[in-house]
Amino acid sequence: EIVVSDWSSDVCSSDLGSCSPAPTTGHRPVRARLTQILEQDIELAVAWGIKEHLRQLLAARDTASFQREWARLEHAVTASALPEPKSLFKTLSAWRRELLTFCRTRVTNARTEAANLTAKTFKRIGRGYRNHDNYRCRIIGYAPRPIAA
């Protein structure tokens, strides 16, 4: 049987409150309620623990801490009997290089993805542009700042 304190001490090295920012007022009742809920639902507790391990991994700022947190996450996933954490870890493993790059540089491709989403939205709303120049002008006209199209 897994007790919430078993994984919370492993993840946070103290109590649940140090895992994530607690509200400035009344955080003890929230923490107590969270602990109560997680003790009643073991699958939810395991999922919460895996989520906290992933959060710690993404908080890493250098290669050594990333590798250390990766090993902890891998250990937690391996110890879990649930299929979802294993599937998540498989996906994370496929993106490991990109995750490490993010942890070292804190740079993402969010702007590119946002621009692509905007272009796809225009295409969907316009029900498909037949004239590429009109499509290009619409995207450039909408962009908040100059972009290359």
Side-chain angles (χ1 to χ4, degrees), residues 3 26 28 30 34 60 66 71-72 74-75 89 103 129 144:
V3 179
R28 291 219 184 265
V30 172
L34 175 62
F66 178 87
R72 289 179 182 161
E74 185 174 22
H75 176 73
F89 191 74
C103 288
Y129 285 89

Side-chain angles (χ1 to χ4, degrees), residues 6-14 19 49-50 52-53 56 72:
D6 290 345
W7 61 260
S8 66
S9 62
D10 183 40
V11 173
C12 308
S13 71
S14 66
C19 290
I50 298 293
E52 288 299 312
H53 279 293
Q56 293 296 322
R72 289 179 182 161

Side-chain angles (χ1 to χ4, degrees), residues 116-127:
N116 288 339
L117 178 62
T118 301
K120 287 180 182 182
T121 301
F122 283 138
K123 197 168 190 174
R124 182 182 49 82
I125 291 170
R127 307 272 194 257

Side-chain angles (χ1 to χ4, degrees), residues 41-134:
D41 187 343
I42 191 64
E43 286 186 3
L44 182 61
V46 170
W48 180 273
I50 298 293
K51 186 265 307 178
E52 288 299 312
H53 279 293
L54 180 57
R55 207 174 72 67
Q56 293 296 322
L57 175 73
L58 295 175
R61 297 281 184 172
D62 56 48
T63 304
S65 59
F66 178 87
Q67 300 298 351
R68 186 174 48 254
E69 295 303 331
W70 183 270
R72 289 179 182 161
L73 174 64
E74 185 174 22
H75 176 73
V77 168
T78 304
S80 168
L82 299 175
E84 292 86 355
K86 292 179 186 350
S87 175
L88 171 66
F89 191 74
K90 183 178 176 183
T91 302
L92 293 173
S93 294
W95 288 89
R96 185 174 179 166
R97 179 180 295 159
E98 290 82 359
L99 290 169
L100 177 58
T101 300
F102 167 75
C103 288
R104 290 193 336 227
T105 64
R106 293 297 185 212
V107 175
T108 69
N109 69 338
R111 288 180 189 240
T112 304
E113 292 298 329
N116 288 339
L117 178 62
T118 301
K120 287 180 182 182
T121 301
F122 283 138
K123 197 168 190 174
R124 182 182 49 82
I125 291 170
R127 307 272 194 257
Y129 285 89
R130 291 192 176 109
N131 184 327
H132 182 73
D133 289 334
N134 290 345

Side-chain angles (χ1 to χ4, degrees), residues 14-32:
S14 66
D15 60 2
L16 287 173
S18 65
C19 290
S20 58
T24 54
T25 59
H27 61 277
R28 291 219 184 265
V30 172
R31 194 178 310 153

